[in-house]
């Protein structure tokens, strides 16, 4: 059984940093795309960032480009999201997602597994 478990969320001030982690178990995703999504109160879940398996190619939503960095440690089957210069509008539940695709995708429908989410709250 595949499980994705996020950690690292919390409450911070604007301008602060956080690093989210997503540990995968039950199956290795080292060859496949992993992503982060978020859902703010009253809004639909949206794409944040994704990283490919072997090449480590990354892709970001415009709203986080230059501030967030996605990375992965395939030996640990773990994906990270380093979030710098956080803004109040980054407040959301952040979800890790895994897919068995090897080509980059930002579509939620193409991700097969999801974590339970971790709350990030940024106050001004």
């Amino acid at each position: 059984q595949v499980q994705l478990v996020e950690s690292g969320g919390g409450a911070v001030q604007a301008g602060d940093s956080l690093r989210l982690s997503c540990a995968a178990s039950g199956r290795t995703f080292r060859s496949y795309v992993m992503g982060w999504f978020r859902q703010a109160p009253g809004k639909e879940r949206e794409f944040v960032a994704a990283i490919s398996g072997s090449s480590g190619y990354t892709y970001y939503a415009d709203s986080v480009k230059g501030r967030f960095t996605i990375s992965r440690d395939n030996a640990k089957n773990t994906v990270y999201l380093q979030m710098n210069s956080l803004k109040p509008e980054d407040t959301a539940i952040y979800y890790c997602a895994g897919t068995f695709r090897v080509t980059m995708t930002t579509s939620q429908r193409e991700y097969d597994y999801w974590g339970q989410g971790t709350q990030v709250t940024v106050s001004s």
Side-chain angles (χ1 to χ4, degrees):
Q1 181 180 356
V2 175
Q3 276 194 313
L4 301 178
V5 179
E6 303 100 332
S7 61
V12 296
Q13 299 285 322
D16 286 350
S17 299
L18 279 174
R19 189 175 84 152
L20 306 183
S21 299
C22 171
S25 62
R27 172 129 190 194
T28 178
F29 285 94
R30 66 180 63 201
S31 299
Y32 307 109
V33 173
M34 297 288 291
W36 287 96
F37 292 79
R38 68 186 181 186
Q39 186 167 21
K43 295 187 177 181
E44 294 186 353
R45 190 161 57 185
E46 63 177 6
F47 169 79
V48 175
I51 185 167
S52 65
S54 55
S55 69
Y57 174 77
T58 57
Y59 189 79
Y60 299 92
D62 288 342
S63 58
V64 306
K65 201 173 296 182
R67 299 188 298 121
F68 290 12
T69 303
I70 187 171
S71 61
R72 66 193 300 162
D73 184 337
N74 285 335
K76 297 181 179 179
N77 219 19
T78 300
V79 178
Y80 305 96
L81 185 67
Q82 177 68 43
M83 305 186 295
N84 298 330
S85 303
L86 282 162
K87 304 176 181 179
E89 50 264 43
D90 294 319
T91 294
I93 299 174
Y94 283 71
Y95 297 91
C96 173
T99 174
F100 294 123
R101 295 175 59 89
V102 295
T103 53
M104 184 62 67
T105 177
T106 63
S107 173
Q108 299 181 50
R109 293 174 295 179
E110 295 179 341
Y111 284 81
D112 304 287
Y113 299 98
W114 293 83
Q116 82 288 350
T118 184
Q119 177 71 49
V120 171
T121 302
V122 185
S123 57
S124 58

